[in-house]
């Protein structure tokens, strides 16, 4: 899988895609456990990297949103004082609360957090898959020993 494919999947990530990914990434062919183990670490690392990308994206966006909010508060104070009124906390918050850009940024941040949460769940499920693969492999080896003994 290439980084472009992973980033495209991240951009398009929603519940439907999450379910498709979960079905395809978490299924196990019990007749080829060794092959499953070999490819698991590679795929797991891809999605861990994508989760880190999502986490960085959320943090970067939070910083941008906080800066925008601080700028808005400064603009609000200046505008209120220019109008000859007192720049109370409530007046500044009212001004900030009406900003459509900040509202849009908050919605975008929630979407980024949602995608991050889906990726986190997928990575956790892949970790459980690894544990299951290890157990299946151990069981297979035990069965082989029983047959040969």
């Amino acid at each position: 899988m290439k980084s472009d494919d992973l980033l495209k999947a991240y951009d398009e990530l929603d519940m439907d895609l999450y379910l498709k990914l979960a079905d395809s990434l978490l299924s196990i062919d019990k007749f080829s456990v060794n092959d499953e183990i070999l490819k698991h670490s590679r795929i797991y690392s891809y999605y861990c990297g994508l989760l880190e990308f999502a986490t960085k994206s959320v943090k970067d966006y939070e910083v941008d949103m906080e800066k925008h909010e601080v700028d808005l508060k400064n603009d609000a104070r200046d505008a209120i004082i220019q109008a000859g009124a007192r720049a109370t906390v409530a007046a500044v918050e009212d001004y900030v609360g009406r900003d459509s850009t900040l509202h849009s940024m908050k919605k975008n941040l929630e979407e980024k957090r949602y995608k991050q949460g889906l990726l986190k769940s997928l990575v956790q499920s892949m970790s459980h898959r690894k544990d299951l693969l290890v157990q299946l492999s151990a069981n297979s080896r035990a069965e082989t020993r029983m047959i040969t003994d």
Side-chain angles (χ1 to χ4, degrees), residues 12-13 18 29 31 33 38 41 43-44 47 53 65 69-71 74 98 102 118 124 136:
E12 297 174 356
L13 187 59
Y18 170 80
D29 180 358
F31 298 109
V33 172
L38 292 173
S41 61
I43 294 169
Y44 182 76
Y47 282 91
F53 173 83
M65 192 176 81
E69 192 168 4
V70 167
D71 291 344
N74 289 336
R98 288 182 275 136
L102 184 61
L118 290 177
Q124 287 172 340
L136 287 171

Side-chain angles (χ1 to χ4, degrees), residues 99-131:
D99 185 70
S100 60
T101 302
L102 184 61
H103 178 71
S104 176
M105 289 179 86
K106 286 181 179 183
K107 287 177 81 172
N108 288 339
L109 180 59
E110 284 309 309
E111 182 66 20
K112 287 178 180 294
R113 286 181 178 154
Y114 171 71
K115 289 180 179 187
Q116 179 189 28
L118 290 177
L119 284 169
K120 191 177 292 186
S121 295
L122 192 58
V123 167
Q124 287 172 340
S125 296
M126 290 178 76
S127 181
H128 292 296
R129 181 182 189 268
K130 174 204 52 124
D131 295 340

Side-chain angles (χ1 to χ4, degrees), residues 70-81:
V70 167
D71 291 344
L72 277 174
K73 287 179 180 181
N74 289 336
D75 292 347
R77 275 189 216 94
D78 293 345
I80 293 168
I81 290 170

Side-chain angles (χ1 to χ4, degrees), residues 9-108:
Y10 172 76
D11 288 338
E12 297 174 356
L13 187 59
D14 61 5
M15 185 53 74
D16 289 335
L17 181 56
Y18 170 80
L19 293 173
K20 287 176 187 173
L21 286 170
D23 286 342
S24 69
L25 294 172
L26 302 175
S27 64
I28 296 175
D29 180 358
K30 65 181 180 178
F31 298 109
S32 60
V33 172
N34 289 337
D35 292 339
E36 294 282 342
I37 290 171
L38 292 173
K39 73 177 186 178
H40 180 79
S41 61
R42 178 176 40 89
I43 294 169
Y44 182 76
S45 69
Y46 292 161
Y47 282 91
C48 284
L50 192 58
L51 176 57
E52 287 301 315
F53 173 83
T55 301
K56 182 180 182 319
S57 179
V58 166
K59 288 179 180 180
D60 289 348
Y61 203 83
E62 285 172 337
V63 168
D64 292 344
M65 192 176 81
E66 287 171 10
K67 175 158 181 3
H68 181 73
E69 192 168 4
V70 167
D71 291 344
L72 277 174
K73 287 179 180 181
N74 289 336
D75 292 347
R77 275 189 216 94
D78 293 345
I80 293 168
I81 290 170
Q82 286 276 343
R86 225 176 102 208
T88 64
V89 172
V92 170
E93 290 300 321
D94 182 54
Y95 182 92
V96 170
R98 288 182 275 136
D99 185 70
S100 60
T101 302
L102 184 61
H103 178 71
S104 176
M105 289 179 86
K106 286 181 179 183
K107 287 177 81 172
N108 288 339

